[in-house]
């Protein structure tokens, strides 16, 4: 992390065009999330043109060059070979949103991150399989494919209670349940399937910890890491749920494992979450997930670093736009 300042200052500081792609809107019921606002705050003073894509209803035109338009905008935003698209997490929610990413990829826009990375990272079990390919240590994880197979899944998991149940898609700690008995898992599976017969669930080994670690990776380098304490009276450690955060010094092994996790999903700017082992210099951490659209509030608070500015400056170097 010490070398990242030179990594940034090597940039040519060329002005470029930024699309922040979000399902939130700057007016109406859903205001822009903090990180999207922060991109506006950092990009404009640096001389970059920035456009917030309200992905619901956005279109791309192909006459005399490429332009993208929000539904409530007549002028649009020109897409050129120096355009970078910053994809926020909510875009994963609909196939039509993801198809907009595919259109941008076809044009040749630098995607942060591309559709494949977004879809892998948004599916917890698919991420689990990708991380397995790289030999990374993870909590034991088993799918529950339907309402009638939870017992077989529990037997396959082969671990003692408590365990963790998760929906395959979810963020900020939502859709994560702490299961303490067989009766409880049966009741919850029945309840969840009664609400949505197509719900996707997995169960996972519970690893007791006083907190987890979030590592921010940009362009194959670690730029920040923090510890998120488990919330009092809870088992989660998400900043959005109120977790306290502090800067965290990574061991060489944790650096290696975090970079491999980012590589496994082909992530350009991602967050890797893990639980440290009891011997972090010797034994690998338990990788929990890779987030393709990191929030920045907690990590900036913990480290005092301007993560959004680092991201904006990184892509000022045209060599980093691909």
């Amino acid at each position: 992390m010490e070398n990242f300042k030179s990594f940034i200052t090597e940039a040519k500081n060329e002005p470029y065009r930024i699309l922040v792609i979000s399902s939130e809107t700057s007016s109406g019921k859903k205001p822009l999330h903090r990180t999207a606002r922060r991109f506006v705050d950092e990009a404009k003073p640096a001389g970059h043109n920035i456009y917030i894509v309200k992905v619901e209803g956005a279109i791309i035109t192909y006459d005399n060059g490429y332009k993208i338009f929000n539904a409530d905008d007549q002028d649009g935003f020109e897409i050129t070979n120096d355009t970078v698209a910053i994809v926020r997490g909510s875009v994963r929610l609909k196939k039509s949103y993801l198809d907009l990413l595919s259109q941008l990829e076809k044009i040749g826009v630098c995607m942060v991150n591309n559709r494949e990375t977004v879809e892998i990272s948004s599916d917890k079990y698919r991420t689990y399989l990708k991380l397995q390919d790289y030999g990374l240590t993870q909590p034991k994880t088993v799918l529950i494919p339907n309402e009638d197979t939870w017992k077989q899944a529990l037997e396959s998991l082969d671990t003692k209670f408590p365990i963790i149940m998760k929906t395959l898609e979810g963020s900020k700690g939502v859709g994560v349940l702490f299961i303490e008995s067989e009766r409880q898992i049966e009741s919850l599976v029945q309840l969840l399937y009664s609400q949505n017969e197509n719900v996707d669930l997995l169960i996972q080994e519970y690893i007791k910890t006083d907190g987890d670690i979030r590592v921010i990776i940009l362009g194959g380098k670690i730029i920040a890491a923090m510890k998120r304490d488990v919330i009092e009276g809870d088992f989660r450690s998400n900043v959005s749920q109120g977790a306290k955060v502090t800067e965290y010094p990574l061991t060489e092994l944790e650096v290696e494992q975090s970079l491999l996790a980012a590589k496994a999903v082909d992530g350009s700017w991602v967050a890797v979450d893990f639980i440290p082992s009891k011997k972090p210099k010797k034994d690998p951490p338990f990788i929990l997930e890779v987030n393709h659209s990191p929030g920045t509030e907690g990590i900036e608070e913990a480290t005092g670093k301007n993560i959004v500015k680092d991201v904006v400056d990184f892509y000022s170097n045209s060599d980093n736009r691909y």
Side-chain angles (χ1 to χ4, degrees):
M1 284 188 288
E2 293 79 7
N3 296 327
F4 191 76
K5 187 174 289 185
S6 62
F7 177 54
I8 288 294
T9 55
E10 288 171 3
K12 301 173 185 177
N13 294 319
E14 299 171 351
Y16 63 100
R17 305 175 72 77
I18 303 174
L19 299 173
V20 177
I21 304 175
S22 174
S23 65
E24 284 73 39
T25 59
S26 55
S27 61
K29 296 181 180 179
K30 293 183 178 179
L32 284 173
H33 283 171
R34 177 186 183 276
T35 300
R37 295 197 310 270
R38 293 275 290 106
F39 272 103
V40 175
D41 295 341
E42 296 296 340
K44 286 186 174 179
H48 309 301
N49 291 312
I50 186 166
Y51 189 77
I52 305 297
V53 179
K54 309 168 193 176
V55 69
E56 183 72 60
I59 61 168
I60 297 173
T61 61
Y62 297 84
D63 299 328
N64 300 317
Y66 306 112
K67 264 193 168 185
I68 190 165
F69 295 80
N70 286 321
D72 58 357
D73 176 29
Q74 298 298 315
D75 297 325
F77 187 80
E78 185 180 4
I79 301 170
T80 67
N81 60 5
D82 65 352
T83 299
V84 176
I86 310 291
V87 182
R88 302 310 299 154
S90 49
V91 175
R92 76 185 192 283
L93 297 175
K94 290 180 68 174
K95 292 295 184 183
S96 60
Y97 298 171
L98 291 167
D99 286 340
L100 185 72
L101 305 190
S102 293
Q103 291 181 71
L104 293 169
E105 289 175 23
K106 186 175 181 179
I107 291 169
V109 170
C110 171
M111 305 299 293
V112 186
N113 286 285
N114 62 47
R115 178 172 181 166
E116 180 75 0
T117 298
V118 170
E119 293 200 288
I120 291 171
S121 303
S122 298
D123 183 330
K124 292 181 173 63
Y125 196 75
R126 192 174 173 193
T127 302
Y128 175 74
L129 295 175
K130 279 288 185 181
L131 297 178
Q132 274 189 334
D133 289 344
Y134 279 72
L136 294 164
T137 303
Q138 302 175 76
K140 289 187 291 184
T141 303
V142 177
L143 279 174
I144 300 179
N146 58 61
E147 184 178 358
D148 299 322
T149 57
W150 66 267
K151 278 192 175 182
Q152 293 95 312
L154 189 60
E155 290 171 2
S156 180
L157 188 65
D158 190 26
T159 190
K160 295 180 180 179
F161 288 103
I163 62 173
I164 302 298
M165 179 189 287
K166 297 178 179 179
T167 55
L168 289 200
E169 294 194 7
S171 61
K172 301 181 181 180
V174 177
V176 182
L177 303 167
F178 189 76
I179 308 295
E180 298 182 272
S181 68
E182 190 169 314
R183 178 177 293 181
Q184 186 182 7
I185 187 174
E186 180 178 20
S187 298
L188 283 170
V189 167
Q190 289 175 349
L191 175 62
L192 291 166
Y193 274 98
S194 70
Q195 297 297 309
N196 178 6
E197 63 181 11
N198 295 315
V199 67
D200 291 308
L201 300 173
L202 61 78
I203 50 176
Q204 195 171 69
E205 171 190 12
Y206 170 63
I207 299 172
K208 187 173 176 58
T209 180
D210 62 353
D212 67 9
I213 310 304
R214 166 156 287 195
V215 182
I216 302 294
I217 296 168
L218 174 63
K221 291 183 181 288
I222 291 173
I223 62 172
M226 68 174 173
K227 180 179 180 182
R228 306 180 295 188
D229 293 340
V230 168
I231 302 162
E232 186 175 352
D234 203 333
F235 66 96
R236 294 170 296 179
S237 55
N238 303 81
V239 173
S240 58
Q241 302 292 337
K244 294 181 180 179
V245 295
T246 53
E247 191 165 13
Y248 180 82
L250 295 164
T251 67
E252 288 186 15
L253 182 55
E254 289 169 340
V255 167
E256 175 193 278
Q257 299 286 287
S258 298
L259 292 175
L260 279 174
K263 185 178 180 181
V265 302
D266 191 27
S268 178
W269 174 44
V270 295
V272 175
D273 297 341
F274 69 77
I275 294 174
S277 66
K278 292 182 179 179
K279 298 177 181 178
K281 292 184 179 180
K282 180 181 178 182
D283 297 329
F286 293 90
I287 306 294
L288 299 175
E289 65 176 301
V290 183
N291 188 313
H292 70 86
S293 174
T296 57
E297 184 172 9
I299 195 81
E300 290 186 336
E301 175 191 337
T303 64
K305 296 177 180 178
N306 190 333
I307 303 298
V308 173
K309 186 176 187 302
D310 284 348
V311 174
V312 170
D313 288 349
F314 177 74
Y315 292 103
S316 293
N317 186 341
S318 59
D319 292 341
N320 296 329
R321 302 198 294 266
Y322 54 87

